[in-house]
Structures are given as structure tokens and as C-alpha cells.
Amino acid sequence: MSKLIATRAIRGAHKLVARAERELKQAIEEKGPKTKVEFPNTAYYLPISYGILGFKIETLQGLVKLLEEAKRLLPLIPEEKLWLPYLGHTLDAGMATLFADEIIEAIKYTKNPLPYLPESQPRDGYLWLGAANDIILRERGIEFVDGTAPGFAACLGYCPTNEIAVKIARELQEKNLYVFMAAATEGKSIVHQLEEQGVQLGWETRLVPFGDDVTACIHSLGFATRVALSFGAVQPGDYQRVLRYNKNRVFAFVLALGPVDDEKHAQAAGAINYGFPTIADTDIDQILPTGICTYEHVVSPVEHDKIVAKAIEVRGLKIRISKVPIPVPFGPAFQGERVRKEDMYVELAGQKKPGFEFLTTKGLDEVEDGKIELIGPEINELEEGSQIPFALWVEVAGREMQPDFEPILERQIHDFINRAHGVFHMGQRDINWARISKEAKDKGFKFKHFGSILHAKLHEDYGKILDKVQIKIFTQEKDILDLIGLARQVYQQRDARLADMTDESVETFYSCTLCQSFAPNHVCIITPERSGLCGAYNWLDGKAAHRINPTGPNQPVKKESAIDTLKGQWQGVNEFVYLSSHKTFKIFNSYSLIEHPMTSCGCFECISCVLPSTNGIMTAYRNYTGMTPSGMKFSTLAGMVGGGVQTPGFIGHSKQYIGSKKFILAEGGAKRIVWMDKALKEEMKAMLCRISEREDIQNFFEMIADESVGVTEEEVLKYISKKNHPALSMPPLF
Ligand code: SF4
């Protein structure tokens, strides 16, 4: 740590302790040692000395003992050429400062007239409120406990302009933080600036002017100490628990605005004892390594338009958005709701227009929390019944965020958006599809509200790992086509991470029941060789999702004893599926399309089904709109297979699963594929060539029919007979 900053803090502590000694001596001489000292209407005596040391100080004489403690803690001012590990000394100097502050402030309360107003807000030009009484503590302190107010910003000094002062105060208020203000610099304070701008000050508006003296900073930490004693059941004198409670429960920080002198450095050192870091707008020395505070201890210089965001980040404060700010009702009750074509105002992406959803990690400095940009027309610029391209590009940042978590967070887009009444969402990645109802549009729902939903819900559900979220919404085809390749590259990289793992190499699979919101009995069992049927979750994602949210929809599933390795049936998996499907499915075969296959929710990328006369199967991708040889279009097939039922002869699955050695293993594997829609076949060409090699089949790719060959079983049979397709010589499917 910087010797310079330690020196300044220690020097500041020396000055304040000397001042406390001077003023105490004078007060005792003038008023006598038995003169009563107290902060108004409190049972917590002088809260710092009571909370930290257990001292019940009631007289000027009692302050002498506190002064001795302050002097005992005071370290020597570092010598010019001597290097020492300074943090411990700086912390001691900080605590000595707090004791000195409390002595000086307590003496003020012996004066007549009182230097502070007894009310909860300024009056008649008197600005300073001093220590809060116990009524205020009870009313306001509970907010620190129930999360209504996550903490406070202790603001010292002043801003370069009144406008900046107002902007910072408003930003802090918006985050539900209290703004405790003290310590004017050369007579100038943020409090004066807010007052000049007509901003209402006081406990009611959470903008609390404690005092212009630097020692009035103590009322912030005094309040925090009383919160620990009052609501944390911490015993007076148990200083470790007082400090730990504040570090873990009260999200506070110091904003040092303008010049920072030695005494203010000393206050910052005092706050660090509580785990409260200091963020400065001027270029003071920093203390960056973590230790006492959650992250850095002192960060500077930070621009005014970034200082609140930076403080929140450094303190590790998690933003909670109590209500999703959209004009339609929002909640899990609306998740199963569909928007029928006749009720729809606009359709987004789906089979007819391109689209995708993508979530990626950025650096903390690259994300502006809550920023939502719409690139392209808004809903009110579109005609009723429009079908438009649609993409959501989400950027998140957080100290605990890891790229491994991206697919999990990305997949929540589906779940979150479906909670908005009048909004229907299906699919993920580059097969997203959504509809907005006429009713939702009439109520004022806009495309930008997708951003509001994602911002609020990602913070609420994943606040542990992320600190900032910004969203771009694209509604123009050109922009979407420019970006979709990038997103697809990342999807592929995510899928490739599992390349060498097999189902035999693990003892545990992962479940996913995220889609039970609209397919109540559906359970995906995700294995290393079979991803979730939406294609968005593979085994590693399931594992990471469980790590983020141990009680969430992704649970570990112990395989236990194998019942049938060809069909992919295990005792433990059967038991898990039975319970998770609400006792609907007793038997589950992971690798069969015919016997007790996996249920399908509706989010599958592909559907495969038996074409009986060919002794093979067909596979169609969900964007294929034409007829299939099953006699049904994809949409009809999806209606039949989806909803969370086992449909023998039909399965929904991911594209990735086609290349797996476990793809319908019970029926003989991928060499059963006799028909694929052309676009899917082309996309899967490399994978099909690998299957060809693996199964030792010459030209397997060419043997598979597509819609250009025919869309009836007869046409397919004729084609594969000509090509001598291996399915024809495999054991009968039935
Ligand atoms: S399809 Fe399966 S893996 Fe994908 S979100 Fe739904 S339940 Fe989870």
C-alpha cells in the first residue's frame, strides 16, 4: 500500500486526536468533568465508543478514557526513508480518528445553543442535523436490514458545480441509497450546493446533512454502529462483530469530493475499518489490493458521471429492482400464456424473419448499467400484423461473472420475457420467436421494455454474479444479419467445449426443468452426449447453472445402477424423472426415440420421427416451413410432440445431438436418418461426414433425401433404395 496515503491518514489522525485533547481539556476546565455529554434521545450513549469499546460515556470525564484509547492507537507518522507494512497502522489511525471525532462532536452537544437542529430536516436556513435520535434510527435503520435501503454514501466536500452535485445526489437516491453529508472544504459543501438548487434535504428525502465540520463524519459511522447493535443483535464492545456486520450487511462507501486533506484521509481510514471504501474525484493515492474492504479500499480519480457506478461496483453493492418497470402485468402466472395470431400486434423473428438472442461478458468499464438501446423501428412505427426481424444483444459485467455462465443467463431470456402479460416467447439462440399482443401494445408495451425486463430480472436473479447489464435491441434485418454470424460462432464454441466427454465418464447428469412453466411435466436430462433439446444447455452449462443457483431448475442427477445402457436407462435417472415430472413418467430412455423417449417441451431445435416404410427416420429443423414426409409440417409435428409428453416414435432434440454417438442409439443411431430438410442437411454437412466416417458408410450425406427429392415416404423410399441407404438393411424398427 502507498506510504503516501498512509502517511496522510496517520498525520490526519494525529491532528484530530490533538484537537480532541485540546477541546476536551478546555471543556473540562470551563464546564467541569461531571458535565453531562450525550447525543440526543438515544440509548446507545456515544455509539462508536459504546459499540466498539463497550464504553458507556455520560460525562466529560468519561471522554478522557476514550481519548486515552485514541492516543494508544495512534501510530507513529512514517519516517521518510522507512518502509513498513502500513495497512494495520492506517487502520489503527482510522479508529483513533473515529474516537477523536466522537469526543469533538460530543463536546459540541454541551454547548448552548446546540450546534445542530433536533428535527429531521433543515429549517430556516439551519442546515445541520447532527446525530440521529433513536426514533430515526428505528424508522430508517430497519431499511438497511430489509434491503429497502441497501446502504449509504458518506459524501465529503463539494462538487465542481451545483449541477454535478444534484446529479450525483439524484443518482444515489435512484439507487435507494441514503446520502450522508459532512465535512465542508474551505466552507464549501455539497449540502450548500443542493440547497442552492432547491433540493429538499433531510431524512425524508434520504439526503441528510450531518455537519460542516470534518468530525461530523462520525454521525454516519455512528448510525452504522447503532444499526449493528440494534438490528444485528451485536453486543456493545464486540467490535469485531460490529465491523463485520457493517462490512457484510450495510453497503456504504465514502465519496470524497474535491480536495482531500489529511483529516479527510483519516476519515477514509476510519471507514475502511467498517469495510467501507473511498472513491475520490481527485487524484489521491489509491489502495487497490483487497483486504478489509470487499474489493479496493481507495479508488481515484473517478469522473463525476461514473463516480456512483464506480462506488457501487467497488463496494460490491447489488442493485435490486423491486418492480419490473413495464406497462403490463408481470409475473410467473403469465408464463404459460400464448398470443394467438388473431390477438397479435407484431411477430418477432420466428420462421419468417431472422433473429437471435445473445448474451456476452464485457469489462466493468464497458457496460453502462441499465442502458437500453433500440436500433430500428419501435412497435408504434409498425402496422398491426407486422412480422419483423428481431435480435436481443445483452452485455453483462460483474466481478464474479465468468464466460461459462453466459449460456445460462442467455437462456433465461425466454423465461423472463414470457412473464410479461401479452408477450409470448419461444426458442433461443438463432431460433427465437416472440409475439406481442394488441392489448399489450395498447397498454404501452414497447420493444425497449424487453430491455427493462432483462435488466431488472438479471439483476434480481443473478445479482450474485453480475453488477451491470446493458441491452441492445435490433429490429432491422441488415443489423441482425451483420451480427448473427458472430453469435453463431460463439454458440459453436460453447457446444465444442464438451467434445471429448462421454456419458460413461461421469456419474452425474443434470436436469433442466426451466420449461415446466409451459410444459408442466417436462424434464430435460442433460448428459455430456445429449444437450438439452433447445440446444442452449449442455452438460457443462447444467453444472455451471447449478453452481450459480443450487436450488434452481438445474439439479444434479445421479445415474446410479444402469438398467439398459443401449437405451440409456439408469435407476437414479428414472427416479429423478418420476419425481420431477410430478409422478407422470416412470421410465425414461435417454437414447431411444421409440421406447419411453425424453419428453419434449416446445423449445426443441429439431424433431425426428419414424418413417415406417423406410425403416428410417426423418429430421426437420424448426425453421423449415415446408411439408415433411411424415405428412405433417413442422408446426403440426411440434403441436403433437410438445407440451411435456412422451410420444413414442417422435422426439424433440438439439441439432448438436444429431452428431452424438448416443443419438437414438437404441434404434441404431444416426445412420437411420433417411430424410432431412435441405437447410439443416447443408448446415450439418460436416457432422454428417463425420458420421459417415465413424460408421464406415461411403457418401452418407448424399444418401439422405431432402425436400428437393420429395416430401412423401414413397419418394424417400424410392430415393434411398437407389442409394442403397444403410437403414434398409438394419433390423426392423418395430
Ligand atoms: S428445453 Fe430443456 S434444457 Fe432447454 S431450457 Fe427447456 S428444459 Fe431447459
Side-chain angles (χ1 to χ4, degrees):
M1 118 172 229
S2 155
K3 179 179 156 187
L4 193 63
I5 193 167
T7 305
R8 297 204 66 183
I10 293 171
R11 208 162 50 208
H14 274 270
K15 289 182 191 172
L16 285 161
V17 172
R19 178 180 158 193
E21 186 169 24
R22 230 174 22 249
E23 292 187 14
L24 181 57
K25 184 166 174 281
Q26 189 183 352
I28 290 174
E29 278 168 12
E30 285 173 9
K31 299 173 197 290
K34 291 196 179 141
T35 301
K36 207 170 166 194
V37 288
E38 61 178 0
F39 286 164
N41 299 320
T42 177
Y44 295 95
Y45 302 90
L46 304 180
I48 298 285
S49 45
Y50 185 52
I52 300 292
L53 302 168
F55 289 1
K56 295 179 178 176
I57 297 174
E58 293 177 280
T59 61
L60 284 173
Q61 183 60 39
L63 290 175
V64 173
K65 202 162 63 157
L66 184 56
L67 181 67
E68 280 162 14
E69 281 297 322
K71 287 163 89 173
R72 191 181 62 76
L73 282 173
L74 262 189
L76 292 174
I77 295 172
E79 286 176 29
E80 198 55 41
K81 294 204 178 92
L82 187 64
W83 183 92
L84 285 167
Y86 298 110
L87 184 59
H89 290 159
T90 307
L91 291 171
D92 284 349
M95 196 49 86
T97 300
L98 304 187
F99 296 160
D101 285 350
E102 196 161 71
I103 293 167
I104 295 165
E105 288 294 305
I107 293 168
K108 285 184 187 168
Y109 276 95
T110 65
K111 295 193 173 150
N112 192 7
L114 278 181
Y116 297 124
L117 283 174
E119 289 99 325
S120 62
Q121 59 188 49
R123 159 175 63 79
D124 305 332
Y126 291 101
L127 290 175
W128 308 112
L129 303 179
N133 60 38
D134 279 356
I135 299 169
I136 291 174
L137 172 74
R138 271 192 297 277
E139 274 174 18
R140 307 285 163 176
I142 189 73
E143 295 176 354
F144 287 61
V145 180
D146 68 15
T148 323
F152 63 82
C155 295
L156 283 55
Y158 64 94
C159 297
T161 66
N162 289 6
E163 288 69 31
I164 292 173
V166 173
K167 190 174 169 293
I168 289 176
R170 293 295 185 223
E171 224 180 307
L172 291 164
Q173 281 178 304
E174 273 168 23
K175 307 281 188 255
N176 298 328
L177 290 158
Y178 275 83
V179 184
F180 292 164
M181 295 169 283
T185 305
E186 293 149 12
K188 288 191 267 183
S189 161
I190 183 174
V191 174
H192 299 125
Q193 294 180 305
L194 296 179
E195 200 218 7
E196 280 164 26
Q197 293 304 108
V199 175
Q200 197 187 334
L201 302 170
W203 282 96
E204 284 73 12
T205 57
R206 300 191 176 185
L207 299 172
V208 187
F210 279 137
D212 57 353
D213 198 341
V214 71
T215 54
C217 293
I218 201 62
H219 300 307
S220 300
L221 295 181
F223 191 84
T225 304
R226 286 155 74 192
V227 169
L229 298 177
S230 174
F231 300 103
V234 179
Q235 290 306 307
D238 188 349
Y239 68 92
Q240 285 187 347
R241 285 191 62 212
V242 169
L243 301 179
R244 215 179 303 124
Y245 180 92
N246 273 283
K247 179 183 173 184
N248 296 333
R249 300 291 295 269
V250 178
F251 288 89
F253 49 85
V254 178
L255 287 187
L257 305 165
V260 185
D261 58 17
D262 290 348
E263 283 92 334
K264 290 201 182 90
H265 273 87
Q267 304 300 331
I272 290 172
N273 278 286
Y274 282 70
F276 302 162
T278 291
I279 321 300
D281 62 354
T282 55
D283 192 7
I284 62 172
D285 268 27
Q286 306 190 90
I287 309 178
L288 295 181
T290 58
I292 307 302
C293 298
T294 309
Y295 300 117
E296 295 84 1
H297 299 73
V298 179
V299 178
S300 82
V302 182
E303 292 163 35
H304 294 108
D305 59 346
K306 299 202 175 82
I307 201 163
V308 173
K310 189 70 187 172
I312 284 171
E313 176 206 324
V314 172
R315 181 62 184 97
L317 171 63
K318 299 299 177 186
I319 301 298
R320 279 176 56 186
I321 297 155
S322 45
K323 187 175 178 303
V324 178
I326 57 172
V328 295
F330 184 88
F334 303 108
Q335 275 180 320
E337 178 192 57
R338 307 231 157 203
V339 175
R340 290 174 305 162
K341 202 162 187 175
E342 53 275 27
D343 299 327
M344 162 196 118
Y345 188 85
V346 62
E347 182 166 82
L348 314 171
Q351 285 184 315
K352 306 225 170 69
K353 298 285 174 184
F356 68 93
E357 292 163 359
F358 182 66
L359 182 142
T360 188
T361 312
K362 291 272 177 189
L364 277 157
D365 292 340
E366 296 172 283
V367 179
E368 185 184 321
D369 188 43
K371 185 171 172 191
I372 299 168
E373 287 174 272
L374 172 67
I375 297 111
E378 189 37 281
I379 189 168
N380 49 2
E381 298 169 58
L382 302 172
E383 284 182 14
E384 185 178 315
S386 301
Q387 294 174 317
I388 64 158
F390 192 77
L392 290 169
W393 184 283
V394 184
E395 293 175 335
V396 302
R399 288 174 186 258
E400 309 296 328
M401 182 65 198
Q402 298 171 22
D404 276 358
F405 299 156
E406 288 169 1
I408 296 119
L409 269 55
E410 185 181 285
R411 185 59 183 131
Q412 309 309 315
I413 294 173
H414 166 67
D415 192 47
F416 295 158
I417 286 176
N418 260 331
R419 295 183 190 199
H421 179 42
V423 182
F424 161 77
H425 182 278
M426 195 51 110
Q428 66 292 316
R429 291 189 172 183
D430 56 353
I431 55 167
N432 58 324
W433 173 39
R435 281 177 175 173
I436 299 172
S437 72
K438 292 176 205 165
E439 187 192 339
K441 191 256 172 191
D442 288 346
K443 284 192 171 145
F445 190 87
K446 299 237 166 44
F447 294 148
K448 71 174 174 57
H449 290 124
F450 283 110
S452 314
I453 294 171
L454 297 179
H455 176 247
K457 289 299 295 171
L458 283 169
H459 268 300
E460 185 182 334
D461 289 10
Y462 295 94
K464 262 203 303 203
I465 53 170
L466 57 82
D467 299 313
K468 294 180 178 179
V469 182
Q470 68 184 17
I471 301 113
K472 288 194 183 95
I473 302 160
F474 296 95
T475 58
Q476 293 176 140
E477 185 155 334
K478 185 188 162 302
D479 300 320
I480 292 171
L481 295 181
D482 281 350
L483 289 166
I484 202 166
L486 199 61
R488 281 181 178 148
Q489 245 175 34
V490 177
Y491 301 150
Q492 275 167 18
Q493 283 160 11
R494 289 176 187 165
D495 292 340
R497 289 176 303 161
L498 270 176
D500 297 328
M501 287 186 72
T502 63
D503 289 0
E504 290 75 22
S505 67
V506 299
E507 290 307 314
T508 304
F509 297 154
Y510 287 88
S511 68
C512 187
T513 50
L514 199 68
C515 289
Q516 286 198 347
S517 54
F518 57 92
N521 298 323
H522 171 67
V523 187
C524 271
I525 293 294
I526 305 172
T527 80
E529 292 181 89
R530 184 172 186 180
S531 52
L533 51 80
C534 59
Y537 272 23
N538 63 32
W539 185 85
L540 287 172
D541 301 331
K543 191 175 176 191
H546 179 65
R547 220 165 68 219
I548 300 170
N549 182 5
T551 56
N554 301 98
Q555 293 298 314
V557 182
K558 287 262 173 232
K559 283 162 41 181
E560 292 173 9
S561 54
I563 297 171
D564 190 326
T565 48
L566 191 71
K567 292 177 187 160
Q569 193 186 139
W570 296 266
Q571 186 65 35
V573 179
N574 273 349
E575 284 165 13
F576 184 95
V577 170
Y578 183 58
L579 288 177
S580 297
S581 66
H582 311 105
K583 304 192 176 173
T584 310
F585 306 111
K586 285 191 173 155
I587 300 175
F588 171 94
N589 288 325
S590 199
Y591 313 145
S592 178
L593 168 139
I594 293 177
E595 258 189 74
H596 305 287
M598 189 151 96
T599 55
S600 297
C601 49
C603 294
F604 31 72
E605 287 185 297
C606 305
I607 294 177
S608 287
C609 70
V610 171
L611 296 178
S613 64
T614 67
N615 205 32
I617 66 158
M618 58 146 269
T619 303
Y621 183 53
R622 67 180 306 133
N623 277 2
Y624 175 65
T625 53
M627 182 51 77
T628 75
S630 67
M632 292 178 268
K633 288 186 174 179
F634 188 93
S635 51
T636 316
L637 277 168
M640 201 177 94
V641 178
V645 291
Q646 285 182 329
T647 316
F650 297 78
I651 48 166
H653 59 83
S654 64
K655 284 191 281 193
Q656 196 65 19
Y657 181 47
I658 301 170
S660 163
K661 286 182 190 160
K662 300 294 177 2
F663 179 70
I664 61 164
L665 186 64
E667 284 79 32
K671 56 182 188 281
R672 286 276 186 192
I673 301 173
V674 295
W675 187 94
M676 264 182 158
D677 71 80
K678 202 169 170 34
L680 178 65
K681 189 175 141 189
E682 285 300 330
E683 190 187 333
M684 298 283 113
K685 187 168 183 179
M687 194 184 266
L688 292 169
C689 291
R690 280 200 297 277
I691 293 170
S692 190
E693 226 169 83
R694 193 175 76 207
E695 302 286 339
D696 199 16
I697 312 164
Q698 294 270 307
N699 299 327
F700 182 55
F701 179 78
E702 282 81 26
M703 290 176 177
I704 299 171
D706 57 39
E707 66 269 29
S708 67
V709 169
V711 289
T712 63
E713 278 199 45
E714 293 71 37
E715 287 166 322
V716 175
L717 181 59
K718 202 167 143 200
Y719 179 81
I720 61 165
S721 302
K722 211 161 63 192
K723 295 281 178 188
N724 201 18
H725 191 290
L728 295 169
S729 50
M730 289 173 82
L733 277 168
F734 301 102

